[in-house]
Amino acid sequence: MTVYDAAGYSALSESSGWTVALAALLIGAVALAAVCGWRERRMAPRGWVTLLGLRLLAIAAVGLVIAGVERRPLSEQEVPSRVVVLVDRSASMELPATDETGAAATRAAAATPGVEELAAGLAASHLVRRAGFDVALEYVDAVEETSEAAGATRLGSAVERVLADHAATPLAALVIASDGGWNAGPDPLDAADAAKSRGVPIYALGVGPLREPPTVSLRDLAAPTRAATGDNFRVSVTVAANGAASLGSEAHRVSLVLRPIDAQGAAGAAASEERIETPSPEGGGLTGASADLEGPSPGAYELVATLQPAGRDADESDNVLSTRIEFVDEPTRVLLAAGGPARDYHFLRDQLHRDEQFACDVLLQSAAGAVTQDAGKVLTSLPATADEWEAYDVLVAIDFDWRQVDASTTAALAEWVSSRGGGLAFVAGNVSTPGAVRAGLEAPLRTLLPVTLRDDPLAMGSTAAAVRDARPVVLSTAGESLDWLNLRLAGDRTTSVWRTLDGFYATTLPAEPKPGAAVLATLGEGATQSPLLVEQLYGAGRVDYLASPETWRLRTVAPELFTELYVGWLRSLTQGRLLGAAAEGSLLFDRRRYDLGELMTLRYVARDPSVAITPTARVAGAAGAPSEVTLVPVEGQPGVYAATVKASDTGRWTATLEVAGGERLTATAEASLPALENETRVQNVALLRDLAEQSGGRYVDLADPQASAALAEIIEATPSLAETTIDLGPPDEGFAERLSRWSLGVMAGALLLEWLLRRAWRLA
């Protein structure tokens, strides 16, 4: 089928002025032709009508060109009715589907048969599109591809996204398979109202137990990564209890076993064992306990905590946690450098001087001449070579004036961090740091830092006043996974210390985290939020950036918190020094703890960066078969290779790498269920039912024996909304060209013939 359209006239008619002008011009041309014919009727009584006809024919040809007549093909297209199937792929869907003890089937697995049955029935009269959602929505080809778990459920956002994506298509229904564990994003019931206004019913397929199963789990195991032989170190455990009424009031027992680890990563016989008890909280919740253990002989050890519940536990897969501890018979060597005697400097210097696990030298730039400090040595400058840096494990630089350090010294510092596993804590301040940044940090130091500091004189003047109100310290997910940073009070293991602290007051420098760096904590919320603590692995070492030297404010909550923070922080920064003993390099994960579904970064640091290699590591989770992962070079860090692996299973992840000489390097990390998702122990029937009924749909519990019949009724009650649309094809360019040529030919021919006839009849 073909249609013709005056496209040129339609375009001109959009302006009323053009329409009037064209009409006036046409009327004037016709009137002029008529007047001329009327005048010629006496001199050519037989030919004046012919002349008038030729003139009108030329005018008509001009009008045809102006009208811009187009020829377009007309086609009919059927738009199929659509149904979107949303499958919850958040971490809570990996929890047991029933409240029975030892239930093996997960909620995701339990939802699959019902989803497939409903999708197959709807596919007969609808185009079925699948998607998975957690913190974001992603369209997929099959429901099995939605198994990657994430730490939050944005149910409302997922519904809004589907409605927006199908605003111009006939959407017959929306199917959601979930446990109803909405814990982030907009209210799903608001999205249900939007669906109802569109005439899109929501069919909610519920999975998960209808009553809270009695479960007890080990939520956290806090222990230092490094401790001294012969000294006591504290181990804390946090136990989460749900459905506690059926667990009784007896205390839960946790056994702590310390086993040595050999070069291949295998654990040996128990070196020590301790048992502690945690009370069972009334009504469920978190509880904790701690114990002091004595450090064994030097070496690497694995600390395994095993929970023994007092009553029935429906899920026993989360009752074991482990961590790696390195015991040394020599203190951690710290170089504490500061531009001036700030409070953090004073408190940290005194703490390290009293603690036998640390040996501390100091460098205070504001001190002139011979000074006395409570430290091992008082330096007047930073070590100038990498060999001199070997005397230390970690450098803490508090508001240090880097303008007094030359390029060769910062290059030696960078080499010590990269190739020898040194740790650097760069603590910015408002006195020396702004001027050093404005003057320009040396290139090796800029490369070391996990943030890019902007040269903004308006924001980093040394006279910048402190803000009037404190900005709260907010830990990120990565920060919450670090025991030394996620501090808790001894009598309250459920509340983070940072929530009880007012916050920090100082004005921080404009800083932007580099790609690959981990933001552990931020300062402020909303528009005033800025990075507070940022970490990156640089070669074999670690570099942390702290935006403000106000950690002394922890002492206002409890004096021991400042000590606990820095002991854990310094030990974390020295992990590269412990791994640096391997002859051919070191293998490590960037963190010890990950949430289920997170990307774990595995790094290999070669001892000789000049040799080009392609390292391949074997990575295995607690429940999966090992897989091979190829590590690729990290740009800007010679000899450093990295790869990412998704933590698809909870439990211990182990990576091994064979290097030259038959040496095997090993790295371990733990993956656990995110705290937010772990709270979704029961199916939120009320939310799923309201979501369905408020949109005009229906709720079905897939564990119900009548679920299959209910799904069949849904298929029958979902009519097809397929519609036929008429589409105009593109203009026929050949027709337009031929029409223009013919129009111009007719116009020219008519005018030429009119002129010749007037000449022949002696009218011209």
Side-chain angles (χ1 to χ4, degrees):
M1 186 182 297
T2 303
V3 295
Y4 296 89
D5 181 29
Y9 173 76
S10 300
L12 291 174
S13 63
E14 294 178 359
S15 174
S16 58
W18 277 104
T19 304
V20 174
L22 286 175
L25 183 63
L26 179 62
I27 294 174
V30 173
L32 180 62
V35 170
C36 292
W38 181 260
R39 292 175 56 188
E40 294 167 343
R41 76 184 189 284
R42 294 179 181 178
M43 293 178 286
R46 297 180 181 179
W48 73 274
V49 176
T50 303
L51 296 176
L52 177 61
L54 291 173
R55 292 169 187 151
L56 293 178
L57 181 61
I59 293 173
V62 173
L64 192 62
V65 172
I66 295 176
V69 177
E70 292 181 346
R71 184 171 69 180
R72 293 172 176 263
L74 188 67
S75 62
E76 295 183 354
Q77 183 177 359
E78 183 176 350
V79 180
S81 176
R82 292 177 181 266
V83 172
V84 177
V85 177
L86 278 178
V87 178
D88 189 347
R89 63 179 184 186
S90 63
S92 65
M93 294 294 285
E94 299 302 315
L95 293 173
T98 68
D99 60 356
E100 298 298 326
T101 303
T106 64
R107 298 174 188 180
T112 300
V115 170
E116 291 296 336
E117 180 181 349
L118 185 58
L122 292 172
S125 54
H126 307 271
L127 179 62
V128 177
R129 192 179 187 188
R130 302 172 184 265
F133 73 96
D134 39 54
V135 296
L137 181 139
E138 180 181 3
Y139 292 102
V140 293
D141 295 329
V143 70
E144 288 78 14
E145 297 183 26
T146 65
S147 60
E148 296 177 353
T153 307
R154 295 181 176 269
L155 180 55
S157 298
V159 176
E160 292 178 352
R161 166 77 184 278
V162 170
L163 294 177
D165 291 345
H166 296 79
T169 57
L171 186 61
L174 175 59
V175 179
I176 300 177
S178 173
D179 55 11
W182 164 56
N183 49 38
D187 192 338
L189 297 184
D190 294 338
D193 290 336
K196 183 178 181 180
S197 65
R198 285 268 310 274
V200 180
I202 298 177
Y203 299 114
L205 310 183
V207 289
L210 301 181
R211 61 180 181 178
E212 187 170 17
T215 58
V216 186
S217 63
L218 266 181
R219 178 67 61 84
D220 188 34
L221 170 62
T225 58
R226 178 173 178 172
T229 296
D231 290 343
N232 288 337
F233 64 97
R234 173 151 296 188
V235 177
S236 300
V237 295
T238 302
V239 176
N242 296 282
S246 61
L247 291 172
S249 59
E250 298 182 13
H252 308 295
R253 296 180 180 179
V254 179
S255 65
L256 303 172
V257 180
L258 202 59
R259 302 177 184 272
I261 302 175
D262 59 21
Q264 284 71 38
S272 64
E273 184 173 355
E274 183 78 17
R275 295 182 183 273
I276 56 178
E277 294 185 350
T278 63
S280 180
E282 296 183 4
L286 299 176
T287 184
S290 59
D292 291 330
L293 305 182
E294 182 178 350
S297 58
Y301 287 78
E302 179 187 37
L303 176 64
V304 180
T306 304
L307 172 65
Q308 300 172 353
R312 188 167 70 92
D313 185 8
D315 183 12
E316 299 178 351
S317 64
D318 50 10
N319 291 352
V320 179
L321 287 177
S322 63
T323 187
R324 178 188 175 107
I325 305 177
E326 189 81 19
F327 292 97
V328 295
D329 57 0
E330 58 183 20
T332 300
R333 300 161 298 176
V334 181
L335 174 55
L336 177 60
R343 292 187 181 182
D344 271 20
Y345 168 81
H346 273 300
F347 287 127
L348 182 56
R349 180 203 61 190
D350 295 344
Q351 169 192 328
L352 298 178
H353 181 66
R354 293 191 302 266
D355 196 334
E356 295 181 354
Q357 299 181 50
F358 295 91
C360 179
D361 294 345
V362 299
L363 168 58
L364 186 62
Q365 290 176 311
S366 63
V371 294
T372 301
Q373 296 278 335
D374 290 334
K377 295 180 182 179
V378 178
L379 305 184
T380 58
S381 62
L382 293 178
T385 65
D387 290 335
E388 293 180 8
W389 278 108
E390 274 296 297
Y392 301 100
D393 297 317
V394 60
L395 166 65
V396 181
I398 302 176
D399 198 14
F400 195 72
D401 190 353
W402 293 94
R403 290 171 291 186
Q404 301 181 25
V405 182
D406 57 29
S408 61
T409 300
T410 56
L413 171 63
E415 181 185 348
W416 170 70
V417 172
S418 176
S419 62
R420 309 194 185 189
L424 169 61
F426 185 103
V427 183
N430 287 333
V431 179
S432 300
T433 311
V437 173
R438 189 178 302 115
L441 301 176
E442 296 291 346
L445 184 59
R446 293 199 308 269
T447 305
L448 277 176
L449 292 181
V451 297
T452 300
L453 297 175
R454 297 203 312 269
D455 183 9
D456 187 352
L458 296 178
M460 15 184 252
S462 60
T463 60
V467 294
R468 177 175 299 178
D469 299 323
R471 291 188 289 168
V473 176
V474 181
L475 300 187
S476 66
T477 302
E480 290 178 346
S481 68
L482 300 175
D483 304 326
W484 59 267
L485 183 59
N486 196 7
L487 300 172
R488 308 294 175 100
L489 290 172
D492 183 8
R493 302 299 301 175
T494 63
T495 305
S496 174
V497 167
W498 301 106
R499 296 181 181 178
T500 63
L501 184 70
D502 291 338
F504 290 174
Y505 289 82
T507 301
T508 58
L509 302 179
E512 180 180 355
K514 293 180 180 178
V519 178
L520 305 181
T522 57
L523 196 58
E525 297 176 320
T528 64
Q529 188 179 66
S530 61
L532 174 64
L533 182 59
V534 186
E535 180 178 78
Q536 79 169 356
L537 296 180
Y538 188 84
R542 291 176 183 264
V543 181
D544 285 9
Y545 169 81
L546 180 63
S548 178
E550 295 182 81
T551 53
W552 59 269
R553 296 187 186 277
L554 286 170
R555 296 174 60 87
T556 63
V557 180
E560 66 273 9
L561 292 176
F562 180 87
T563 301
E564 186 177 346
L565 172 68
Y566 270 95
V567 168
W569 190 13
L570 295 179
R571 284 171 172 165
S572 174
L573 288 170
T574 59
Q575 292 183 61
R577 298 289 284 172
L578 300 176
L579 297 170
E584 296 298 333
S586 55
L587 183 70
L588 68 159
F589 286 101
D590 60 348
R591 300 208 315 267
R592 292 195 302 165
R593 299 279 177 83
Y594 295 89
D595 284 340
L596 181 65
E598 270 195 289
L599 287 178
M600 304 183 294
T601 300
L602 179 66
R603 292 175 182 263
Y604 168 64
V605 183
R607 180 63 61 192
D608 185 3
S610 63
V611 179
I613 58 174
T614 305
T616 301
R618 290 176 61 84
V619 182
S627 60
E628 292 191 349
V629 178
T630 301
L631 289 82
V632 298
V634 177
E635 184 178 357
Q637 299 187 33
V640 181
Y641 304 83
T644 56
V645 181
K646 181 171 285 293
S648 55
D649 297 319
T650 58
R652 164 167 291 192
W653 284 78
T654 303
T656 58
L657 177 64
E658 298 283 349
V659 294
E663 185 178 6
R664 175 182 294 178
L665 305 179
T666 303
T668 59
E670 292 282 338
S672 58
L673 197 66
L676 197 62
E677 289 292 301
N678 199 36
E679 297 172 358
T680 312
R681 287 288 175 176
V682 296
Q683 181 187 153
N684 193 341
V685 176
L687 175 63
L688 293 176
R689 180 177 283 113
D690 290 345
L691 179 67
E693 295 178 353
Q694 197 162 312
S695 65
R698 181 175 177 179
Y699 161 77
V700 177
D701 181 8
L702 291 179
D704 193 314
Q706 303 300 319
S708 184
L711 296 180
E713 294 175 1
I714 290 176
I715 296 172
E716 197 68 28
T718 307
S720 174
L721 299 182
E723 56 188 29
T724 301
T725 61
I726 299 176
D727 295 331
L728 285 175
D732 187 344
E733 296 181 358
F735 170 80
E737 183 179 356
R738 292 192 301 272
L739 181 62
S740 298
R741 289 180 177 178
W742 276 101
S743 298
L744 292 175
V746 169
M747 178 185 65
L751 293 177
L752 178 61
L753 181 59
E754 187 265 354
W755 181 79
L756 291 175
L757 290 176
R758 290 177 67 234
R759 294 282 293 182
W761 294 337
R762 298 180 181 181
L763 298 177

